[in-house]
Amino acid sequence: MSLSKTLRTTLSIACLAIGMTAVQAKAEEREFALVFKVLNNAFSPPIQAGCEAAAKKLGDVKCTYLGPTEYDEAKQVQLAQDMVTRGVAGLGISAGNPKAMARIMKMAKEKGIPVVTYDTDVLPEDAGLRSTYIGTDNYEFGVALAQKVLAHKKSGTVCIQSGAPASENLKARVQGIRDTLAGVTKDKGVESLTGQNGWTEPSGCPVYNNDDITLAAQQVRDVMTNNPGLSAFVAVGGWAQYAPEAYKQAMTPLKARLDSKDLVVVFGDNFGPQLPLLAAGLSHYNIGQRPYDMGYETIMALDKLSKGGTVEPFIKTGTEVCTPQDALTTCGKVAN
């Protein structure tokens, strides 16, 4: 055999070996899917970034991040079912409709796919379908929002803004607000504020925006117009402030009331569009979560579970309180 032919044969074998190795490596890659409630939301990109960062660190994991572009509970359920059918190695769920999603989680469990929830948990009776919940203690988040109101107001009228009525995480926040203002413990929770501890909710409140940013901003305007003597407005998420111009138009006419704390405004979340509004005094506090950490810890938990390991039943990712004084300096660096 000639030298050139020998070299060609050797190179062909080497290339074939490299190709086989690449195919094998690809075949061994584990796919973890994170199904979020709605992608058109400031909360979504940091979760995806954390998911991808964790996957990169592990090396043999692919982060598949998906969800409906606009809020659509049925679409999210279908996307999760598609991932189960595909046979992903692990599934992370933030359920818009926890009861409907429980059916898909049961399918995943029957196929031996590890399942965790993040951001939004399932109903207590379905907790056995997932190995852990990763995110904020949502009741305590509501407590923290209400405590900031109580720092300036001891009684009055309060309107609460939430997203989807079925979201368990948001329901827990609303409950935390109500119980704290009412001055009762969690085990004696109130259904609405009708004078307990001096607090009432006006007609038409709470308001639900179903993660529609435009609607959320309009709701703020409507609430302020319909309740000129409102004592406090508490949003359990940042929706209205994600439309900063519309929010400014609603709140700037009330600047004197805001400056004197005659009206106290507290928002959940601390993303980029919200912080200039906080700095300008158009809200008094923004309490942020850590969505990047939720995405990151979800992948890490699925990695452990897919290898036969165990995780804690609740992995807290923490919160951060922001004020007008730190809004444009240190605030929100973790969440952003």
Side-chain angles (χ1 to χ4, degrees):
M1 183 182 293
S2 67
L3 178 60
S4 61
K5 187 173 182 180
T6 300
L7 287 172
R8 285 198 301 271
T9 302
T10 303
L11 287 171
S12 296
I13 293 171
C15 290
L16 179 60
I18 291 170
M20 290 177 66
T21 302
V23 170
Q24 183 180 11
K26 189 70 176 176
E28 291 175 352
E29 183 179 63
R30 294 171 295 152
E31 181 183 19
F32 295 155
L34 272 62
V35 186
F36 193 54
K37 292 175 293 187
V38 55
L39 300 184
N40 184 22
N41 186 307
F43 207 75
S44 180
I47 295 176
Q48 182 174 4
C51 174
E52 292 173 348
K56 183 177 180 180
K57 180 176 181 178
L58 292 170
D60 64 340
V61 168
K62 176 185 177 183
C63 161
T64 297
Y65 184 78
L66 69 164
T69 304
E70 302 296 336
Y71 191 82
D72 186 331
E73 293 175 359
K75 177 66 173 176
Q76 191 203 18
V77 170
Q78 183 59 56
L79 290 171
Q81 183 172 335
D82 291 346
M83 293 298 101
V84 174
T85 302
R86 191 153 94 189
V88 294
L91 186 64
I93 295 290
S94 174
N97 186 323
K99 198 63 187 175
M101 194 61 79
R103 178 175 60 86
I104 308 304
M105 293 166 65
K106 184 177 180 182
M107 289 172 54
K109 188 172 183 180
E110 290 171 349
K111 290 188 68 172
I113 299 173
V115 179
V116 304
T117 54
Y118 66 96
D119 176 55
T120 305
D121 202 4
V122 288
L123 297 170
E125 58 262 35
D126 295 319
L129 298 174
R130 48 72 167 162
S131 296
T132 185
Y133 163 66
I134 300 163
T136 306
D137 184 322
N138 286 292
Y139 183 87
E140 289 301 322
F141 190 72
V143 170
L145 292 168
Q147 286 175 337
K148 293 305 177 186
V149 172
L150 290 173
H152 303 285
K153 293 279 185 180
K154 301 305 178 186
S155 62
T157 54
V158 58
C159 188
I160 302 169
Q161 183 180 58
S162 188
S167 290
E168 285 300 301
N169 63 330
L170 303 183
K171 287 164 65 175
R173 294 177 199 178
V174 171
Q175 194 62 53
I177 293 168
R178 284 174 168 157
D179 291 354
T180 303
L181 293 179
V184 302
T185 54
K186 187 176 182 179
D187 61 310
K188 298 178 180 179
V190 298
E191 291 186 6
S192 63
L193 294 167
T194 57
Q196 304 95 322
N197 205 30
W199 286 98
T200 59
E201 295 176 71
S203 176
C205 292
V207 290
Y208 296 95
N209 57 59
N210 284 310
D211 286 347
D212 185 322
I213 292 169
T214 302
L215 174 60
Q218 183 61 49
Q219 287 175 339
V220 171
R221 179 187 287 274
D222 292 345
V223 166
M224 298 305 166
T225 300
N226 296 334
N227 302 277
L230 190 71
S231 305
F233 182 85
V234 186
V236 300
W239 305 278
Q241 293 185 328
Y242 301 155
E245 292 308 314
Y247 181 81
K248 284 179 188 176
Q249 291 174 12
M251 300 304 288
T252 299
L254 305 174
K255 190 63 166 60
R257 292 193 66 212
L258 291 165
D259 288 345
S260 67
K261 307 293 194 304
D262 184 46
L263 169 64
V264 176
V265 176
V266 184
F267 264 81
D269 297 335
N270 59 345
F271 293 105
Q274 299 177 271
L275 300 182
L277 301 171
L278 177 61
L282 297 179
S283 61
H284 296 102
Y285 300 94
N286 279 58
I287 301 182
Q289 302 176 80
R290 293 179 175 162
Y292 178 95
D293 293 351
M294 292 182 194
Y296 190 94
E297 294 298 337
T298 297
I299 292 294
M300 290 304 183
L302 290 173
D303 175 57
K304 289 182 181 178
L305 293 167
S306 68
K307 294 175 179 176
T310 58
V311 294
E312 293 294 321
F314 181 12
I315 300 173
K316 293 185 182 182
T317 49
T319 58
E320 176 188 20
V321 177
C322 300
T323 67
Q325 290 71 38
D326 63 21
L328 300 181
T329 54
T330 59
C331 171
K333 299 308 179 186
V334 174
N336 289 315

